[in-house]
Amino acid sequence: AQRVTQPEKLLSVFKGAPVELKCNYSYSGSPELFWYVQYSRQRLQLLLRHISRESIKGFTADLNKGETSFHLKKPFAQEEDSAMYYCALEGEAGGTSYGKLTFGQGTILTVHP
Amino acid sequence: DADVTQTPRNRITKTGKRIMLECSQTKGHDRMYWYRQDPGLGLQLIYYSFDVKDINKGEISDGYSVSRQAQAKFSLSLESAIPNQTALYFCATSDLLGTGVLYFGPGTRLTVL
C-alpha cells in the first residue's frame, strides 16, 4: 500500500535561515506528489505540485525517485511561512489510488523572528 | 475558498448519537471527499465520490456512512458516535481535470463525549 511519511512533526528555524521539510513515500509506480499548506485560520490549500516544476512563495520541491523523496525547500525562511505543511501522493492513472490523495502526518513549521 | 462550505463548524455530541456533517460546493466539481484530521496522523480519507452515483470507501470508513444527494452535496454520517471519532473533519472537492488538486472546506470540529 502507498504511504507518505513526514518524519518531523515540528520544525523551528529563524527568519532568513534555510528550511527543508522532509517527505518520503512508498509507491510502486510513478506517483504525483504535492505539498499542501494550512496557515493559521485559513483553509488547507495546495502549495505546489511536482509536475508543475514551479516555485511558489520561494518554495521548491524536487522529486527524487531513487530516494523516493519529495522534500520541500526554501533558502530564506520568512515568518509568514509558519504553518502546517502536508506532503501528499496520488497514484498514477489506471491504478486504485488514482483520483485520491494520501497525506503524510504533517509538519508544523515555526519561523522565529 | 468560500465555494466549499461545511455545516456545522463545531459540534459537541454524546456517545451513541447519530450525527450528520454536511458539505456543499458551488465549484461544479464532480469529485468530493471526506477526510479526518488527527494530530500526529495527518489527514485520512474516509469516503470519496467521483460522481453522484459513485461512492467509495477510503482508508477509515468503519463507523461512517455517506450520501451524495446531488453533484453539489456530500454528507457524512456517524451512525453511533464514539469518543475516538473526535476529530477535525474536512470536505474537499476536485475538478475531474485537476488531478490531485483539492479544494478544501473550512472543517468541522466534532467532539464526542
Side-chain angles (χ1 to χ4, degrees), chain B residues 31-52:
Chain B
R31 300 180 181 185
M32 297 188 74
Y33 308 79
W34 276 105
Y35 282 90
R36 115 174 223 174
Q37 183 186 51
D38 296 276
L41 295 179
L43 287 153
Q44 296 173 279
L45 183 61
I46 307 172
Y47 270 95
Y48 61 103
S49 169
F50 284 174
D51 64 44
V52 175

Side-chain angles (χ1 to χ4, degrees), chain B residues 23-26 28-29 32 52 68-74:
Chain B
C23 176
S24 294
Q25 53 113 347
T26 58
H29 290 170
M32 297 188 74
V52 175
R68 184 82 186 264
Q69 301 95 322
Q71 186 201 38
K73 296 184 183 295
F74 192 37

Side-chain angles (χ1 to χ4, degrees), chain B residues 50-71:
Chain B
F50 284 174
D51 64 44
V52 175
K53 296 182 180 180
D54 177 76
I55 304 288
N56 303 280
K57 293 183 178 180
E59 309 162 69
I60 55 164
S61 59
D62 287 348
Y64 300 95
S65 62
V66 291
S67 172
R68 184 82 186 264
Q69 301 95 322
Q71 186 201 38

Side-chain angles (χ1 to χ4, degrees), chain B residues 81-98:
Chain B
I82 56 177
N84 75 0
Q85 291 178 312
T86 293
L88 189 55
Y89 290 84
F90 287 105
C91 174
T93 73
S94 178
D95 189 308
L96 184 64
L97 299 178

Side-chain angles (χ1 to χ4, degrees), chain A:
Chain A
Q2 63 200 55
R3 191 169 192 166
V4 178
T5 302
Q6 294 178 246
E8 303 139 329
K9 193 172 183 177
L10 301 169
L11 184 62
S12 290
V13 299
F14 285 100
K15 177 183 174 181
V19 62
E20 179 178 37
L21 290 83
K22 291 183 168 49
C23 172
N24 291 93
Y25 67 90
S26 63
Y27 181 77
S28 55
S30 296
E32 286 202 40
L33 276 297
F34 307 83
W35 278 98
Y36 278 77
V37 61
Q38 187 173 26
Y39 301 103
S40 179
R41 289 185 290 278
Q42 292 188 29
R43 301 186 185 204
L44 191 60
Q45 58 187 289
L46 177 69
L47 178 63
L48 58 79
R49 47 192 301 200
H50 92 270
I51 198 170
S52 301
R53 293 189 163 274
E54 56 192 347
S55 173
I56 304 293
K57 298 185 178 182
F59 284 99
T60 59
D62 291 319
L63 178 60
N64 186 323
K65 291 187 177 181
E67 296 183 358
T68 59
S69 68
F70 187 57
H71 303 327
L72 183 68
K73 301 177 184 179
K74 185 170 183 176
F76 308 102
Q78 303 299 315
E79 290 179 68
E80 56 265 29
D81 296 328
S82 296
M84 168 74 91
Y85 291 81
Y86 286 103
C87 182
L89 176 153
E90 180 181 8
E92 56 197 341
T96 57
S97 57
Y98 183 61
K100 50 181 179 169
L101 295 187
T102 298
F103 286 85
Q105 302 91 328
T107 298
I108 299 173
L109 172 66
T110 302
V111 182
H112 299 283

